[in-house]
Amino acid sequence: MIHETSNTTEKPWKNLLMVRKYRPQLILSTLIPSFQQLTGINVVVFYAPVLFQTLGFESNASLISAVNVCTTFISVYCTERYGRRVLLLCGGILMCLFQAAVAILIGWKFGTTGVTTILSQSYAILVVLCICVFVAAFAFSWGPLGWLVPSEISPLEVRSAAQCVTISMNMFFTFGVAQIFLKMLCWMKFGLFIFFAAFVFIMTWFVYFYVPETKNLPIEEMSQVWRGHRYWKRYVDDDAAANLKPRGKPEEEIV
């Protein structure tokens, strides 16, 4: 068994890309880091000073960073207690709601003309509060779990390749969002938050139907997750059935 595992580990890319039973790992390792960046979190973290100045009030970048760091500890405490899916779903719902709220608040004051409007202190605080809740929801869900879930769903023989896919997709979308954000903000105005909220809705739907729960499950036993999943089990079962098919002609029965 150890010798067979060592041999398959020599071809992680071929296994991940070509073997049907590893299709769930390939899809999740691609989509989870992509969705993580399409939440728009880096828009808020990287460009918070520009964003807040555009909205008409002072920069609160340090507040956003503090909320992000502190709320991450919720994930540390709750991941093994309540499961990955619960946190991902709760975080997705909160992010979607409060991104939509930010879009409504900004659209109500600025509209689509981009004309500078003086915001009252209470109104500005309300916008900042919605953004902080959005950041907090990301920090206890898609922030840490966007790395944890892809790292634990892959078996040894494809884990190195799957992790390369995860990191590559994360960096690609981080770069892409950072490059187009300012142009999108000038063009879409408050609609930018609706754009990212739509992706948050899609990824929350994706988690509900396609991301299995891996709470309290050792990595060595991760294969049973796919066999028990209502959708992914077809890949594992079909592959297992193919391996059980006899090869060549069966030997004649001795009478």
Side-chain angles (χ1 to χ4, degrees), residues 49-218:
V50 176
L51 180 63
F52 287 128
Q53 289 173 9
T54 302
L55 298 179
F57 49 90
E58 297 180 357
S59 169
N60 287 273
S62 59
L63 174 62
I64 297 300
S65 299
V67 171
N68 189 19
V69 172
C70 294
T71 319
T72 303
F73 290 100
I74 296 178
S75 181
V76 175
Y77 178 79
C78 296
T79 297
E80 291 299 335
R81 290 176 178 267
Y82 304 108
R84 284 77 163 146
R85 280 172 50 86
V86 171
L87 293 180
L88 289 173
L89 291 172
C90 290
I93 292 171
L94 287 175
M95 282 190 288
C96 188
L97 291 176
F98 281 90
Q99 267 192 321
V102 170
I104 293 171
L105 291 172
I106 295 175
W108 181 265
K109 284 294 183 179
F110 292 93
T112 59
T113 61
V115 177
T116 303
T117 303
I118 298 177
L119 298 179
S120 65
Q121 183 178 10
S122 59
Y123 203 91
I125 291 174
L126 182 60
V127 174
V128 173
L129 178 62
C130 290
I131 293 177
C132 286
V133 174
F134 164 76
V135 173
F138 176 86
F140 74 72
S141 60
W142 279 85
L145 297 182
W147 295 103
L148 175 63
V149 174
S151 68
E152 65 182 6
I153 61 174
S154 300
L156 177 63
E157 55 268 24
V158 296
R159 188 172 302 160
S160 59
Q163 282 298 93
C164 288
V165 171
T166 298
I167 296 172
S168 298
M169 296 303 297
N170 184 282
M171 295 298 103
F172 175 80
F173 277 91
T174 299
F175 174 80
V177 171
Q179 292 300 310
I180 66 175
F181 160 68
L182 291 178
K183 292 182 179 180
M184 292 180 66
L185 180 62
C186 294
W187 178 51
M188 300 179 68
K189 305 297 189 299
F190 68 91
L192 178 64
F193 294 94
I194 298 295
F195 173 81
F196 287 118
F199 277 104
V200 175
F201 176 81
I202 293 171
M203 74 188 198
T204 303
W205 175 86
F206 175 78
V207 169
Y208 182 80
F209 286 102
Y210 297 107
V211 177
E213 180 57 70
T214 57
K215 180 181 69 172
N216 297 327
L217 189 64

Side-chain angles (χ1 to χ4, degrees), residues 1-7:
M1 179 63 68
I2 297 177
H3 179 68
E4 293 177 358
T5 304
S6 299
N7 288 336

Side-chain angles (χ1 to χ4, degrees), residues 217-236:
L217 189 64
I219 294 179
E220 294 79 10
E221 301 176 9
M222 197 61 62
S223 59
Q224 64 180 302
V225 168
W226 311 112
R227 294 191 180 95
H229 194 272
R230 60 180 178 272
Y231 179 79
W232 298 122
K233 66 180 181 180
R234 69 185 67 181
Y235 292 92
V236 179

